[in-house]
Amino acid sequence: MSHFSRQRRLTAAALTALAVAVSATACSSGSGSTDARGGGSGTYTIWDPYPQFDKGSAWVKLLDRCGTEAGVKIKRTAFDTSDLGNKTLLAAQQGNSPDVLIVDNPVVSTLAEAGVLTTTDDTKLDTSKVDPNLLAAGRSGGKTYGTPIGANTLALYYNKKVLKEAGVDIASVKDWTSLTAALAKVKKAGKKGVTFSAIGTEEGSFQFLPWFWGAGAKLTRLDSAQAVSALSLWTDWLKQGYAPNSVLNNTQTTSWQEFAGGDYAFAENGTWQLANARKAGLDYGVLPIPAATGGNAAAPTGGEFVTIPVQDDTARYTTSQKVTACLTSADNLYDTDTTLSYVAPTSEVQNKQVAANVELKPWIEAVKSAKGRTSDNLGTKYPKISEQMWKAVQSALSGSNSPKNALTSAQNAVK
């Protein structure tokens, strides 16, 4: 693709769509020059969203090692997740894209539709071992753009002590009815029920999705009876006092802090809180989020894709592919995903993770049922749908609208 036509395709719509926000891990802020070209062709640039890892970290050492194996020097720049998409679009407009880009999975289809990324067919990147439900987040128009480096998702943490005092057997919690019954018992015993994040941002949508999908709802119809039942579940929990009003302003971090206080029976949160759960000294367990009538709900996948941006000099792809294959090889994935608190994207490495840490078992189950937010070919439509969804959640939980009216307005706004 010529540099000119690529520039033309980087539309305003793509820029707007990159308000696709951040799910998952909160990263500290990173900075860096946006000059992607290093010194000559022997230097390959990598951009990633992990400013929390510095030069001495295992992650940066791995990047350097993969460069060395491919016979090149790596120049790495870390950005905040929320900056990375915009910086990437800008660099592409300037013909200055990094050679390898590690980016949050909902952003992949936006960058792909803007003509910024190569397909795995272009670069001969092998994705055959990756779980198909995780790979789907990087698919758009029947083509795959990159490969996942790892995944995280949501599940329910539960406090064993609180449940025991309330006489709740966790094995009885199998669907929404039994979960709500458990919350009623907990409240009756003078403890607190469940906390989650329903804030008016992507985080709120991210946390609502397992209930939305668990009801059998589809993102293309926000006002379906299934969608209404999911929002009614949350609204009723607030009305009954099973969930606190603070969920309206809770981020995933503040809702975690509520749970870490020790009074809550349940918290919806992510794989990335595992280290904090140990630190809090809670006697906790993890349960995949139940679907309305039983089984595991699909929770949204968090985590990043390793992608190879379009270059004017296509001869660079061979080396970029070698670096990417090295970063996502079975041996390196195990170490990387341990560092990032991620579930690996392949069964082979997942089995290795469980063998080393049995606590990851429910998370691997949750990831196997998980689904990309942009799957179902939603691509750049997702951010618009998501924004209306979190607005509807806010509107219903605050009592200013019934779940049905809130979701009808949301669907009309998307149209």
Side-chain angles (χ1 to χ4, degrees):
M1 189 190 295
S2 78
H3 178 48
F4 173 70
S5 66
R6 189 164 81 244
Q7 230 170 349
R8 203 175 54 218
R9 285 185 61 190
L10 289 162
T11 56
L15 283 158
T16 318
L18 267 168
V20 180
V22 193
S23 71
T25 34
C27 297
S28 61
S29 106
S31 64
S33 93
T34 47
D35 177 23
R37 280 290 151 266
S41 61
T43 300
Y44 276 62
T45 51
I46 295 182
W47 288 2
D48 72 45
Y50 311 129
Q52 70 272 38
F53 297 124
D54 61 13
K55 277 192 173 63
S57 66
W59 168 246
V60 177
K61 284 178 181 155
L62 173 64
L63 295 179
D64 290 338
R65 196 166 77 237
C66 286
T68 305
E69 282 176 25
V72 294
K73 195 173 174 312
I74 295 296
K75 181 174 181 234
R76 174 251 185 174
T77 311
F79 297 95
D80 254 1
T81 305
S82 44
D83 289 344
L84 188 55
N86 292 321
K87 292 274 196 321
T88 302
L89 276 170
L90 199 63
Q93 281 173 316
Q94 295 163 348
N96 200 19
S97 294
D99 291 292
V100 176
L101 171 72
I102 298 163
V103 69
D104 197 16
N105 76 65
V107 182
V108 174
S109 50
T110 300
L111 293 175
E113 285 177 38
V116 175
L117 302 178
T118 59
T119 70
T120 50
D121 294 341
D122 299 331
T123 57
K124 309 289 176 276
L125 188 63
D126 178 16
T127 58
S128 59
K129 285 182 172 172
V130 177
D131 287 353
N133 66 320
L134 300 180
L135 196 60
R139 284 179 66 77
S140 179
K143 292 191 176 347
T144 305
Y145 297 84
T147 189
I149 197 162
N152 54 30
T153 194
L154 296 163
L156 289 174
Y157 285 86
Y158 58 88
N159 184 321
K160 292 179 180 176
K161 186 168 170 268
V162 172
L163 290 182
K164 197 177 168 191
E165 285 171 14
V168 173
D169 174 8
I170 194 65
S172 70
V173 178
K174 291 182 174 351
D175 53 21
W176 291 2
T177 309
S178 51
L179 175 57
T180 303
L183 295 175
K185 273 185 159 177
V186 167
K187 190 191 172 200
K188 208 173 161 194
K191 292 288 185 184
K192 294 174 177 174
V194 60
T195 173
F196 47 87
S197 163
I199 194 169
T201 68
E202 178 60 25
E203 268 183 280
S205 292
F206 188 67
Q207 289 235 321
F208 182 58
L209 274 171
W211 311 95
F212 181 86
W213 283 333
K218 289 189 167 55
L219 284 168
T220 44
R221 258 208 72 196
L222 290 177
D223 59 350
S224 67
Q226 292 93 328
V228 173
S229 75
L231 189 47
S232 302
L233 178 77
W234 269 18
T235 311
D236 290 345
W237 283 354
L238 260 72
K239 279 187 191 144
Q240 302 292 338
Y242 300 158
N245 288 325
S246 56
V247 297
L248 278 156
N249 302 310
N250 266 349
T251 62
Q252 295 181 108
T253 305
T254 55
S255 117
W256 177 261
Q257 287 158 353
E258 288 179 334
F259 180 68
D263 286 335
Y264 279 89
F266 294 95
E268 179 183 354
N269 226 301
T271 329
W272 56 91
Q273 300 290 10
L274 269 174
N276 291 332
R278 286 183 212 111
K279 231 184 289 177
L282 298 171
D283 188 8
Y284 73 93
V286 176
L287 181 74
I289 294 169
T293 56
N296 296 348
T301 50
E304 287 79 30
F305 264 61
V306 189
T307 65
I308 298 174
V310 170
Q311 303 291 345
D312 289 336
D313 178 6
T314 55
R316 296 184 76 84
Y317 297 155
T318 311
T319 302
S320 299
Q321 187 268 352
K322 277 183 192 155
V323 172
T324 303
C326 169
L327 289 175
T328 55
S329 73
D331 289 348
N332 290 334
L333 270 179
Y334 178 75
D335 296 336
T336 300
D337 290 331
T338 305
T339 305
L340 297 173
S341 274
Y342 278 165
V343 169
T346 66
S347 296
E348 178 190 355
V349 184
Q350 288 166 3
N351 295 340
K352 206 170 152 184
Q353 286 182 304
V354 170
N357 179 3
V358 76
E359 281 186 1
L360 287 173
K361 202 170 187 303
W363 290 108
I364 285 168
E365 268 182 57
V367 162
K368 284 206 179 292
S369 309
K371 183 170 160 157
R373 283 162 276 175
T374 56
S375 299
D376 301 335
N377 257 331
L378 286 177
T380 47
K381 295 191 198 88
Y382 173 74
K384 300 179 184 82
I385 295 168
S386 172
E387 185 180 353
Q388 295 309 322
M389 182 158 71
W390 81 58
K391 284 181 172 167
V393 168
Q394 286 263 309
S395 167
L397 294 189
S398 63
S400 57
N401 240 323
S402 71
K404 191 175 188 328
N405 290 345
L407 287 164
T408 303
S409 305
Q411 184 58 32
N412 291 338
V414 171
K415 277 178 191 159

